[in-house]
Amino acid sequence: MSACRQPAPAPQDDGGVNLTVRPVANTIANIPPQCFTRTQDAGSKAVQNPCYVCHAEAPEPNYQSQPELQLAYAFPQVHAGSTTHNDWSNLFIDRGRQIAAITDDDTLSYVRGDNYRNQAGAIELTERLKNVPAHWDVNGNGSWDGYVPDAQFRFDAQGYDRTAGGKMTGWRAFVYYPFPGAFMPTNGAFDDVLIRLPEVFRQDRDGKPSETVYTTNLAIVESLITRRNTPITATDETALGVDLDKDGVLGTATQVTFDWAPLEKRYMHYVGQASTAQDAGQVHLAAGLFPEGTEFLHSVRYLDLDATGVVVAAPRMKELRYSRKRRWLTYSDLYSQSLKDIKEADLNPDRPEQYLGDPERGLISPLGWAYQGYIEDARGRLRPQTQEESQFCVGCHSGLSATEDGAFAFPRKINRGNNHGWEYWGSRPFRQLPDPLRTDGQTEFRSYLLANQAGDEFRANAEVRQRFFDENGAPRAAAFATLATDLESLMLPSPERALLLNKAYWLVVREQSFAKGRDPVISPSDNVLRDVDMDQPTGIVTPLPAPRLGAP
């Protein structure tokens, strides 16, 4: 452990954030820093491709197929001249001395602090929002009109979030394969995702709360999003009045069968009150789309160490991200929107993306979702994100081939065990978890490592590169053999790296410099471009596919 002193106390509370004034310095903040990656190491002719996981062909109703973005840096020219400047300047700052000045003990003490609940056990941010500060009140009505945190983070064996008295909040946790790249814990953060469907999906036909109905409706949504048959606990179809397994009789179903092809007169149905609402046209169902009113809650957390030195999720949240589907868009609506986007890009190629909404009620994506986030203030309490900080989030959720209806995690849900993957993360969630198959028969993370020669977009994770490749860049056969049956070998950093990542991010928190980048940077990034010429080629010649997860 280091004996150095920690930094002096931060001078401000919420970083001086005034949500009622919405200046945006980085007008292309919706384009993440990963998109500025230099795809060739300095002095090397070898080309790496981290781009394919976000920019590839996509099945409808995602009309954001964009494999051409693997080939060139197609940024709007928002700066003078013919280049686009990289405003994510935190990538290039050397904080080595500052990192070294923070002790390991102080770091662990900080990340083990709970910034979601106060000492009385109440949700701290919810209590603060009861008397919303004037500089957070965008519409000036004296109340907070955005999402007020209500998840208790108390989960039963089926992943349902419950109050101290046992009442369901509607939120349900699920386990999922992390998205390749920055969101793997080895690159700085653990995270979790909860889903909640509207109340009508949680009620039987008589309007009474029903856990069976809710569980079944969530399984139907899973089947629609993954486009696969979904295993379920044995369920009485007669009581629900729906043939879930499509065997032609009402009996006992052990799966929801995916069979949605309206042009062929094949349909699927929700159960309970949602079925009645569906028949009345009040809620909708289609493959690849969530029903209107669906909510997601996503916490991003620091890295902690358990008693044996294994890296685990810390209690402290870096961020709490929320989204809600505000309205239903059909396939035709989404296709029309994509054509509008293409037309706008052709007519005004240098105009940055424009988003409706505000930091209080959320920014609105073209797909009909509202996105709102909370992030640490200088002293570690959660505060609302600014317009610019929120723009960072909505960009990826509204314009990539990698998502299903804007969602990253749920399409990657793991259906396993007696609870079928509806659970909160355990202490070692990736241990003996196999590398998942894609629909082309290739494994997900092996493919990513081989295409990118690294475990992150910036190729800054030396640990992963050394673990899986030798000094000449050749794959280490033993490491890849282990990866096939145990994702922990890739997902978890060493304790030493975990602490460095925590310290690097903590410094950004204290600076409140998220608008300049929120990736934990241990040392300045060498494989990131500071300026990009108009339509500059990446060096990638042939786009790679990014098939969805699922057995071929």
Side-chain angles (χ1 to χ4, degrees):
M1 299 287 184
S2 170
C4 299
R5 296 175 58 191
Q6 66 171 328
Q12 297 192 20
D13 185 27
D14 61 6
V17 169
N18 187 344
L19 305 183
T20 65
V21 178
R22 292 182 281 165
V24 175
N26 181 3
T27 57
I28 55 171
N30 55 291
I31 299 176
Q34 286 78 7
C35 289
F36 287 86
T37 293
R38 185 197 310 273
T39 51
Q40 292 178 278
D41 290 330
S44 171
K45 294 183 179 180
V47 177
Q48 291 84 21
N49 185 351
C51 314
Y52 78 95
V53 294
C54 289
H55 303 294
E57 296 288 352
E60 62 177 6
N62 184 339
Y63 298 103
Q64 299 294 331
S65 291
Q66 44 199 203
E68 69 278 1
L69 294 184
Q70 296 180 39
L71 309 181
Y73 299 92
F75 298 154
Q77 303 303 307
V78 294
H79 302 97
S82 61
T83 63
T84 297
H85 183 66
N86 183 354
D87 286 326
W88 302 111
S89 56
N90 275 344
L91 293 171
F92 309 114
I93 297 175
D94 186 351
R95 292 189 172 88
R97 290 187 178 181
Q98 293 171 282
I99 290 173
I102 305 175
T103 70
D104 293 347
D105 286 340
D106 287 333
T107 302
L108 289 172
S109 176
Y110 181 73
V111 304
R112 289 169 179 169
D114 185 352
N115 61 344
Y116 189 68
R117 295 187 179 278
N118 59 26
Q119 292 184 346
I123 300 174
E124 195 269 343
L125 183 57
T126 299
E127 295 299 306
R128 294 172 74 191
L129 292 175
K130 289 179 180 178
N131 295 294
V132 59
H135 58 290
W136 290 0
D137 187 10
V138 174
N139 59 12
N141 67 351
S143 65
W144 182 253
D145 295 325
Y147 170 67
V148 177
D150 62 343
Q152 301 300 307
F153 286 91
R154 296 189 184 99
F155 302 98
D156 64 19
Q158 298 300 315
Y160 281 113
D161 181 50
R162 297 183 181 272
T163 66
K167 183 179 179 181
M168 292 173 60
T169 65
W171 291 111
R172 197 180 190 191
F174 58 92
V175 292
Y176 52 91
Y177 294 103
F179 194 71
F183 262 102
M184 298 189 302
T186 183
N187 293 318
F190 264 96
D191 64 341
D192 52 53
V193 181
L194 319 180
I195 187 173
R196 178 164 64 185
L197 300 182
E199 193 169 4
V200 68
F201 289 85
R202 306 176 232 158
Q203 299 173 338
D204 63 20
R205 288 185 179 271
D206 296 325
K208 298 177 181 177
S210 169
E211 186 172 325
T212 297
V213 165
Y214 192 22
T215 298
T216 305
N217 279 325
L218 282 166
I220 293 169
V221 171
E222 180 179 349
S223 180
L224 290 165
I225 295 299
T226 62
R227 295 172 174 84
R228 296 195 299 269
N229 298 340
T230 300
I232 57 175
T233 302
T235 301
D236 183 2
E237 295 176 318
T238 303
L240 297 174
V242 174
D243 183 9
L244 298 170
D245 56 14
K246 298 286 187 175
D247 65 354
V249 297
L250 295 181
T252 299
T254 56
Q255 74 172 26
V256 171
T257 297
F258 175 70
D259 188 28
W260 186 84
L263 296 180
E264 300 173 23
K265 307 298 183 184
R266 303 201 323 260
Y267 304 96
M268 296 174 67
H269 231 78
Y270 297 122
V271 300
Q273 278 285 82
S275 176
T276 303
Q278 182 181 349
D279 291 339
Q282 297 168 346
V283 299
H284 299 84
L285 178 154
L289 297 176
F290 294 95
E292 53 267 68
T294 299
E295 299 170 278
F296 284 104
L297 194 63
H298 174 203
S299 82
V300 183
R301 298 171 184 267
Y302 286 86
L303 305 176
D304 196 0
L305 306 178
D306 70 10
T308 65
V310 173
V311 177
V312 295
R316 178 171 294 278
M317 294 182 184
K318 293 181 173 183
E319 299 179 54
L320 184 65
R321 301 176 176 180
Y322 171 79
S323 62
R324 178 175 60 86
K325 187 167 182 174
R326 301 172 66 249
R327 62 192 180 105
W328 178 261
L329 296 176
T330 65
Y331 279 34
S332 295
D333 294 331
L334 293 166
Y335 182 61
S336 295
Q337 179 62 50
S338 72
L339 294 179
K340 290 178 183 177
D341 292 343
I342 293 171
K343 181 179 179 180
E344 175 64 24
D346 286 342
L347 294 176
N348 300 288
D350 296 334
R351 178 183 295 174
E353 291 282 349
Q354 304 295 308
Y355 297 104
L356 299 176
D358 58 57
E360 181 176 352
R361 288 161 291 192
L363 298 190
I364 312 303
S365 83
L367 305 182
W369 292 76
Y371 292 91
Q372 183 188 358
Y374 298 98
I375 200 164
E376 286 181 283
D377 66 21
R379 297 197 179 196
R381 297 199 299 179
L382 294 173
R383 62 157 176 83
Q385 290 190 150
T386 65
Q387 179 87 7
E388 185 167 347
E389 291 163 350
S390 295
Q391 192 170 321
F392 168 83
C393 296
V394 72
C396 289
H397 285 280
S398 62
L400 299 185
S401 62
T403 62
E404 294 282 0
D405 201 6
F408 285 91
F410 196 77
R412 304 174 65 84
K413 179 181 174 294
I414 304 169
N415 198 311
R416 68 180 183 189
N418 294 332
N419 54 18
H420 303 291
W422 291 103
E423 58 185 287
Y424 195 68
W425 292 116
S427 59
R428 298 186 69 172
F430 308 113
R431 190 179 190 184
Q432 297 182 341
L433 183 66
D435 193 356
L437 282 176
R438 309 186 310 191
T439 53
D440 65 349
Q442 300 299 311
T443 48
E444 173 84 320
F445 294 100
R446 179 181 183 275
S447 297
Y448 180 79
L449 288 171
L450 293 178
N452 191 31
Q453 292 283 299
D456 65 313
E457 296 86 346
F458 306 134
R459 301 191 301 286
N461 189 332
E463 242 182 29
V464 165
R465 297 190 82 172
Q466 292 167 5
R467 194 177 296 172
F468 288 91
F469 301 94
D470 65 20
E471 60 276 7
N472 297 316
R476 298 185 188 274
F480 277 91
T482 299
L483 177 68
T485 59
D486 188 1
L487 283 184
E488 186 173 279
S489 65
L490 168 63
M491 293 297 166
L492 297 189
S494 66
E496 294 77 17
R497 175 173 167 81
L499 288 168
L500 289 173
L501 290 165
N502 283 340
K503 294 172 185 179
Y505 186 83
W506 190 10
L507 289 169
V508 174
V509 170
R510 301 179 62 78
E511 295 172 355
Q512 291 292 281
S513 61
F514 303 116
K516 298 178 181 179
R518 61 184 76 175
D519 295 282
V521 178
I522 297 174
S523 59
S525 300
D526 295 327
N527 295 314
V528 181
L529 298 170
R530 293 174 184 259
D531 294 283
V532 178
D533 293 333
M534 185 180 298
D535 295 323
Q536 178 177 331
T538 62
I540 298 166
V541 177
T542 303
L544 290 175
R548 296 300 198 257
L549 297 186

